[in-house]
Amino acid sequence: MGDSGDQLTIVSNRLPAVLKRCDDAWQVEPGSGGLVQAMSPILCNRGGRWVGWPGVTTGEPDGWEKGLRQVEVDSGFELKPVVLNQREFEQFYEGFANSVLWPLFHGFPDRCDFDPDFYAAYGQVNEKFADAIAGVDDDLLWVHDYHLMEVARRLRNKDYGGRLVFFLHIPFPSIENFSKLPWRHRLLTDLLHYDLIGFQTERDLHHFQNCVNYLGVGAAEEDGPSRCHIELGTREVEAGAFPIAIDYQDFARRAATDEVSQRVEVLQGDIGPYQMLLGVDRLDYSKGLIHRLQAYEMALEEHLDLHEEVVFLQLVVPSRENVDEYQALKREFDRIVGRINGRFSTAAWQPIHYLYNCVDPEQLSAMYRLASVAMVTPLRDGMNLVSKEFCASQVDESGVLVLSEFAGAAEQLGSGAVLVNPYDIGQTAQAIYRAITMEAQERSQRMKSMREVIEHSDVYWWAEAFLERAHRQQQTVQELLTSDSFPLERRSV
Ligand code: ADQ
């Protein structure tokens, strides 16, 4: 990994393994979601430590540590659990993280509950994480995502002197949305205690720069392509766009195995002799599931030649199942699936097949390979790894990607994908028809160009770009510290 081979500690809200209580025993399940998918290969490759919440709250029966030790043996890196209590789980995780920051940063301010108790709990849990990390003497602490934006400030208060870098997996909001947050100055000031802050896209970086300048918490200036620096008087912070990626070779290799080929045949048998549209998402309102169903329904209304020609397989990973809003989304989704199948099914054909669970990597690969069209149409998404996984798995380059212009991935894949505004149901319905009826040559040209981008800019390229930046920044600081001309007030970096 270039010259950035420091000891690495990853810090995120969730550990990559989640403990669940089942029949009086603890079960370990692999963590789901994009952050875990992206970071696991990095730590597996270079070793290190991962700090995060294992899904256990205080007061639950002992015995869960044994499960984590087994994951450590299997994965080759150390896991350091931070346990939350029930109140922290409700007010920090379900509260500030998922009922304030998630909707606000995805552009849904009306869904936010700006409860001051939630913000207080956010501070307490960030302090808990800072306590857990303060003793770690690794060279580089890489903190991830919106749950932990205050950790750097809290560590600096404990005289932590090492490098602190941060990556935001979700979008950074526009100034119009960010300034609705009652604690906007404090949150942004706290974030600026990191030395390097990474965003998914140019758009996010630009929004961040605007917020820093508009709210007057620093002076942000562009610093070359995809980079900016923020002058704070006593120190400087760097920020940049680093589009997250996948382990391309892993997906491409798996898709070409005999096992996956066999599963493709079985799957084709299960869905019938039709072309397949595929959706793969966590259950979340930001993923645009309802709009997607409406677009498919409209495509079926307007194009009778799609009847008994396509099926739509939607795979949904359960997420935040005990939150009312998510239960309501699932009910709404089920209702519309029932309506569409009720309206259009024939004795031989059912237009939507819907699975509500996690599938293993081979099965996911078979779905990606068989799909004629992948529907990746979030209303807003930091990056969206499904779009990249689909392309990497398309070893015969015959599938079409229908991609929302509001997914971070659109910055890299926009020219190969069929881009849509997911709020425009009519346009998305047309895009479905266009994708299904696209000629083989155009399909292959588009898919080839996207696969090239994804192969070149894979997850190792991404981590190396980010860590080298962190490393270079450290070198610059060291050079300045040993130079006579370095102004004294900047030595506190
Ligand atoms: P997520 O919101 O979790 O990630 P995404 O990037 O699409 O979204 O990742 C989902 C992951 O879950 C994919 O790797 C996918 O393969 C996996 N997955 C989905 N359904 C599955 C199923 N039924 N069975 C098994 N696996 C399934 C957040 C941000 C994203 C950003 C990532 C990484 O919201 O915008 O891309 O972090 O930074």
Side-chain angles (χ1 to χ4, degrees):
M1 230 181 224
D3 60 351
S4 49
D6 319 283
Q7 272 298 303
L8 178 63
T9 293
I10 302 273
V11 188
S12 68
N13 174 55
R14 282 287 188 140
L15 282 176
V18 176
L19 290 148
K20 288 209 170 129
R21 193 95 187 125
C22 199
D23 295 335
D24 287 343
W26 284 105
Q27 259 187 4
V28 193
E29 289 177 7
S32 62
L35 190 158
V36 168
Q37 298 294 335
M39 293 316 300
S40 297
I42 304 298
L43 265 199
C44 281
N45 238 15
R46 57 185 284 158
R49 183 185 289 119
W50 195 319
V51 180
W53 180 49
V56 178
T57 49
T58 42
E60 292 195 78
D62 291 339
W64 51 268
E65 290 92 342
K66 219 173 98 196
L68 287 190
R69 299 293 81 89
Q70 188 52 49
V71 177
E72 287 179 326
V73 172
D74 296 343
S75 63
F77 51 83
E78 190 189 330
L79 299 177
K80 190 170 167 52
V82 177
V83 178
L84 303 184
N85 62 41
Q86 189 58 29
R87 189 189 58 79
E88 288 166 342
F89 172 75
E90 284 163 18
Q91 300 196 336
F92 154 77
Y93 180 67
E94 291 185 340
F96 201 69
N98 289 336
S99 305
V100 178
L101 295 177
W102 178 272
L104 188 72
F105 281 35
H106 282 87
F108 302 98
D110 292 345
R111 288 181 180 262
C112 293
D113 180 357
F114 295 121
D115 182 337
D117 288 344
F118 291 174
Y119 183 53
Y122 186 77
Q124 285 154 16
V125 172
N126 274 251
E127 183 72 16
K128 208 174 213 182
F129 270 82
D131 282 336
I133 302 161
V136 167
D137 56 3
D138 283 355
D139 289 336
L140 186 66
L141 267 178
W142 188 357
V143 181
H144 289 261
D145 230 0
Y146 60 105
H147 313 83
L148 301 174
M149 291 194 284
E150 283 187 11
V151 165
R153 197 256 296 162
R154 290 173 181 276
L155 275 171
R156 295 299 183 213
N157 288 351
K158 296 177 197 301
D159 294 327
Y160 183 86
R163 275 175 300 160
L164 286 166
V165 299
F166 178 83
F167 186 79
L168 185 69
H169 290 255
I170 64 174
F172 196 85
S174 65
I175 181 65
E176 285 75 19
N177 281 330
F178 188 73
S179 50
K180 294 187 173 88
L181 183 71
W183 310 279
R184 58 201 185 178
H185 282 101
R186 275 163 67 190
L187 194 75
L188 202 52
T189 306
D190 284 345
L191 182 60
L192 288 169
H193 282 73
Y194 287 100
D195 299 310
L196 172 65
I197 304 168
F199 299 97
Q200 300 274 25
T201 65
E202 302 272 346
R203 170 157 40 183
D204 299 317
L205 180 65
H206 185 69
H207 284 164
F208 169 74
Q209 241 178 288
N210 279 349
C211 288
V212 167
N213 289 332
Y214 180 82
L215 294 173
V217 296
E221 254 185 51
E222 231 169 76
D223 206 2
S226 311
R227 301 283 176 267
C228 85
H229 71 268
I230 301 101
E231 185 57 62
L232 296 172
T234 52
R235 45 188 287 273
E236 267 188 20
V237 176
E238 269 194 67
F242 300 87
I244 203 166
I246 58 160
D247 185 342
Y248 174 89
Q249 295 300 348
D250 187 47
F251 277 90
R253 212 178 296 124
R254 189 177 311 115
T257 58
D258 290 344
E259 175 169 1
V260 168
S261 301
Q262 282 159 17
R263 292 208 195 193
V264 168
E265 275 179 36
V266 173
L267 186 58
Q268 183 78 75
D270 288 346
I271 62 160
Y274 311 112
Q275 290 199 59
M276 186 173 93
L277 288 168
L278 177 69
V280 177
D281 304 82
R282 273 191 311 102
L283 182 70
D284 194 280
Y285 51 83
S286 66
K287 301 291 181 185
L289 292 160
I290 301 297
H291 295 69
R292 188 183 306 164
L293 287 180
Q294 289 168 343
Y296 182 55
E297 185 172 30
M298 187 182 279
L300 291 177
E301 277 166 8
E302 292 181 352
H303 301 282
L304 297 184
D305 50 333
L306 292 181
H307 295 210
E308 302 198 346
E309 173 58 30
V310 295
V311 296
F312 178 17
L313 175 65
Q314 176 66 55
L315 182 60
V316 179
V317 196
S319 175
R320 302 172 196 168
E321 283 171 287
N322 41 358
V323 177
D324 290 348
E325 215 177 358
Y326 285 74
Q327 290 167 2
L329 175 63
K330 176 155 189 312
R331 281 195 300 274
E332 175 71 350
F333 186 81
D334 292 352
R335 193 181 63 76
I336 302 179
V337 168
R339 182 179 76 207
I340 296 174
N341 278 339
R343 277 186 73 186
F344 300 105
S345 288
T346 63
W349 171 70
Q350 180 181 314
I352 305 183
H353 294 244
Y354 158 38
L355 302 178
Y356 184 63
N357 57 30
C358 271
V359 297
D360 65 37
E362 283 70 28
Q363 191 60 20
L364 189 61
S365 178
M367 291 174 175
Y368 285 145
R369 251 191 74 180
L370 183 60
S372 285
V373 177
M375 295 295 295
V376 180
T377 56
L379 303 178
R380 191 82 178 90
D381 216 331
M383 176 56 59
N384 192 294
L385 296 181
V386 169
S387 58
K388 296 187 172 183
E389 294 169 0
F390 166 66
C391 295
S393 309
Q394 275 283 315
V395 282
D396 45 15
E397 299 180 335
S398 58
V400 182
L401 175 64
V402 174
L403 180 63
S404 162
E405 60 188 82
F406 305 123
E411 272 186 14
Q412 288 172 297
L413 306 181
S415 58
V418 175
L419 281 187
V420 294
N421 166 5
Y423 289 93
D424 186 341
I425 305 297
Q427 185 211 23
T428 309
Q430 282 311 315
I432 290 174
Y433 190 70
R434 173 151 181 248
I436 284 288
T437 54
M438 191 180 283
E439 294 294 331
Q441 197 190 0
E442 185 180 352
R443 284 172 173 252
S444 145
Q445 270 169 0
R446 285 171 175 266
M447 184 49 74
K448 216 184 270 300
S449 73
M450 291 190 288
R451 281 167 63 83
E452 274 167 20
V453 172
I454 298 166
E455 180 173 16
H456 170 262
S457 313
D458 70 358
V459 75
Y460 302 105
W461 165 89
W462 169 78
E464 185 160 326
F466 189 86
L467 294 176
E468 275 191 358
R469 193 76 205 166
H471 190 73
R472 249 205 321 272
Q473 187 188 28
Q474 173 69 1
Q475 276 180 337
T476 316
V477 171
Q478 293 298 348
E479 283 159 18
L480 288 169
L481 281 170
T482 50
S483 139
D484 289 344
S485 61
F486 186 52
L488 262 183
E489 77 268 17
R490 292 175 71 173
R491 291 182 184 236
S492 59
V493 173

